[in-house]
Amino acid sequence: MKGKLWAIALLALALCACALSASAQEARDITNECVFTSPGRKTASVHDGAYTSYWNSDTRSRPYLEITTPEGVQAQYLYICFANMPEKWTVEQEVDGEWQPLYTGTTDYYHALVELGGKTHFRLRDDCGYRTTLKINEVYVFTEGDLPDWVQRWEPTCEKADLLLLVAHPDDELIWFGGTIATYAAERGLNVVVAYMTDSNTTRRSELLNGLWHMGLRNYPVIGPFYDGYSFKLADAYEKWPKTRARTFVMELLRKYKPEVVLTHDVGGEYGHGAHKLCADVMQYCVENASDASVLPDSAKEYGTWDVKKFYVHLGEESTTEMNWRVPLASMGGKTGLQLAQEAYTFHVTQQNTEYVVTDEGEYSNARFTLMRSLVGEDVRGGDFMENLPGLDPNIVLTPTPVPTPTPTPAPTRAPGEIVRADVEWPETPPMPLDAHGYPTEGEYVFADEEAGLWFYASPSLVVRVDRIFDEDAVLTWYEAHIFCDTDRERFGIVLYNEEEPRKKHVQAELIAKEKQVVFGMNTDYYSYRVGRKTITGMVIRGGEVFFDRVPEANRHQFPNLDTLALYGDGTWGVYHSDERTAEEYLADGAIDVLSFGPYLVRDGEANEFVDQMTNGKTEQPRCAVGMIEQGHYFALLAEGRIRNISVGVSVPWLQQKMLEAGCQQALNLDGGQTAVMTFMGKQITRIGKYNGGKTSPRTTTEILGIGRSDQINPTAE
């Protein structure tokens, strides 16, 4: 039976692999060619291809799994599927016989991908510091190249949900809700949060992640803390999952993710499962009370209140809405939502000997739902959970935000030799003479005081000042960088790590800044994440070369909306709606680099009104933005977040206000979260937070946005 079940799972993997487009260079799976060792333990089960088995180390302080690649073969990626999440873990490399840290892991994702950078001998280590056991479902090792589509690179849970799907157990999201995830997350590009009351066990947790990934979901689900146990009556379910505790968990989901639409199980529990009944009962209570701050006040105090616009249950007494899961989905290679759900169900290997099937026919059809509550009117057309919701219902035509006619970038009018004045306070009396514009007449000046939060650089063509600011009352830390330069000699623009293959190699931003000897650097739009995924890339131009020009309609609901920032050769900048200009128009006007993220915050000195209309971007997160105050004077801001007692993060409207206060004429919101980073003199100066408040490493990237070059930066320094 086990062999038969794995045959089904392997078939699903093959179906998934067929969806991959041809690649010039595919990564090779060298897992079974590597040598795995761990003190006191055999290691075959750590790479046996079976999630139903797991490997655990010996119980010891800092247990590890050591890996050696075949002779002459370098490993680029390590894909880890944890059974138990270590409190702290690292990947180390061997250098001259000594182990050195290579990557510090996070506890955000049970399936984690680590970029190794071409290593041949490395190890995964539990680094909590006390006696414990390292427990893993599966490990895979790959060479450089395009990874198989089934390898997961999870993104954080959506900060603001269009749709929240609450289910009791892994596989319920497929059996009872059919093509919901593929249709709304992958095809329509909406923000979908999938939440589980329980993951049942370590194997089923891996199965649910594999199934969700196959459905096109890329934002990590929420997995509840409840243990699994069968019940038939609702009262018995509440014995296992106490009512107050269950309500607290679900209420936090509503108030934290603020979904427009909520789906959950049938009130009767489909075939009568008590846990399914409990989901419907708890959700109905929470939907009715989420706007009342006196009900479960702790989550109201932390996240604010919320009023769900529409609430559906599966089946129900009336079945008011019939979904069509048999529509081909262009984003998923023409497969239907029902097909994808059926394929995803085969990843739930432990459930293949049950009687359940994924079908839109019969008594338990996963296409029938009942609208239990609506603040926007009853469904008339049917067949769309988003009916009657402005911005989400494609049949509602919104009055578009007026798009002003773009003003062509004027030719420089300054006199020869005239540059913007470096009007900035020095940290001390300048040790060298300054010219009439505030720049040193010769030499370089570097000042860095991490404790005080001040970094300063000056040369005859560039002055940079970065200040760290802490608001104790708001528990908020942010960095403000003012950059002044002679635009005939310096350019604030994209710095590629690998000019020959600019889209391939991903490394830390700090490494790019160090090896390229960049004075000031920061992250860009992280366009590389969108490449090869079920999303639009946006306008991407680097060094005058068009990388991508797939653009969405202006002001679409998705976040980011892929508004652009164009950096012109004369040092002027411009911001535009995503579909406002063609690549040819950008290049004709002298654009060197074009970044896509958005929304744009400021245009011609005026705030973008769309920022206040967005449903996304309102929660406190790590965020960053960059703007032009005037030709040759630029401003960058990065707010840290997810760091307990140091910084909670900011909203996009907060970011916009700061860019206006700085005097920016043009400004764009860039990718935040673990992407947001600033560097000074080849060193990272900002901190990366994570959801539980600890530190982690920034995402790797192919480029930075930087300016200045200094020989005082040692490109080979450790």
Side-chain angles (χ1 to χ4, degrees), residues 11-125:
L11 173 61
L13 280 172
L15 289 169
C16 180
C18 289
L20 281 169
S21 59
S23 173
Q25 181 184 6
E26 293 186 355
R28 186 163 66 90
D29 183 351
I30 58 171
T31 309
N32 291 327
E33 302 173 42
C34 294
V35 176
F36 293 79
T37 57
S38 184
R41 279 286 189 268
K42 295 181 179 180
T43 60
S45 59
V46 81
H47 57 97
D48 61 1
Y51 287 89
T52 50
S53 65
Y54 65 84
W55 172 86
N56 62 272
S57 70
D58 198 2
T59 302
R60 61 176 57 233
S61 178
R62 294 187 172 88
Y64 61 86
L65 176 68
E66 191 170 335
I67 305 170
T68 304
T69 64
E71 185 175 356
V73 179
Q74 295 182 339
Q76 185 67 26
Y77 301 101
L78 175 65
Y79 180 43
I80 311 157
C81 302
F82 288 104
N84 286 345
M85 178 58 67
E87 292 182 14
K88 184 178 181 182
W89 60 277
T90 58
V91 174
E92 299 177 318
Q93 61 178 327
E94 187 183 33
V95 178
D96 297 329
E98 296 184 359
W99 290 103
Q100 298 180 358
L102 175 65
Y103 177 87
T104 301
T106 76
T107 58
D108 298 334
Y109 313 124
Y110 273 86
H111 289 186
L113 183 67
V114 178
E115 296 192 20
L116 300 170
K119 299 298 181 288
T120 58
H121 190 199
F122 48 94
R123 67 183 185 183
L124 167 65
R125 189 177 78 170

Side-chain angles (χ1 to χ4, degrees), residues 499-637:
E499 290 84 355
E500 294 181 359
E501 294 185 293
R503 307 174 220 172
K504 284 288 186 181
K505 187 74 171 179
H506 287 70
V507 298
Q508 298 289 343
E510 183 180 49
L511 180 62
I512 301 174
K514 181 188 70 171
E515 293 193 2
K516 302 298 181 179
Q517 298 176 295
V518 176
V519 172
F520 174 82
M522 63 183 296
N523 62 285
T524 65
D525 53 13
Y526 198 40
Y527 78 88
S528 59
Y529 169 75
R530 300 188 290 276
V531 177
R533 287 175 167 79
K534 315 301 182 184
T535 185
I536 297 175
T537 313
M539 182 68 66
V540 181
I541 298 177
R542 298 295 189 259
E545 179 184 349
V546 180
F547 284 10
F548 300 97
D549 60 356
R550 295 183 60 229
V551 298
E553 295 180 2
N555 290 355
R556 67 175 186 170
H557 182 74
Q558 282 95 326
F559 181 82
N561 64 357
L562 301 184
D563 285 346
T564 66
L565 170 64
L567 313 182
Y568 294 98
D570 63 3
T572 57
W573 291 5
V575 294
Y576 305 93
H577 294 286
S578 58
D579 60 353
E580 189 171 336
R581 315 196 87 198
T582 65
E584 291 75 16
E585 288 173 324
Y586 283 116
L587 296 176
D589 283 341
I592 305 299
D593 302 310
V594 177
L595 290 75
S596 292
F597 199 79
Y600 80 74
L601 305 175
V602 183
R603 178 167 172 160
D604 299 329
E606 299 292 332
N608 181 3
E609 295 180 355
F610 178 63
V611 170
D612 286 331
Q613 302 169 14
M614 292 190 311
T615 57
N616 293 292
K618 301 300 175 65
T619 59
E620 296 172 330
Q621 300 290 341
R623 301 187 191 274
C624 70
V626 65
M628 182 191 78
I629 296 175
E630 60 179 316
Q631 184 180 12
H633 182 190
Y634 311 100
F635 178 73
L637 189 150

Side-chain angles (χ1 to χ4, degrees), residues 53 95 118 144 199 364 423 438 509 538 568 603 675:
S53 65
V95 178
E144 187 173 5
D199 59 5
Y364 302 125
D423 188 10
Y568 294 98
R603 178 167 172 160
T675 302

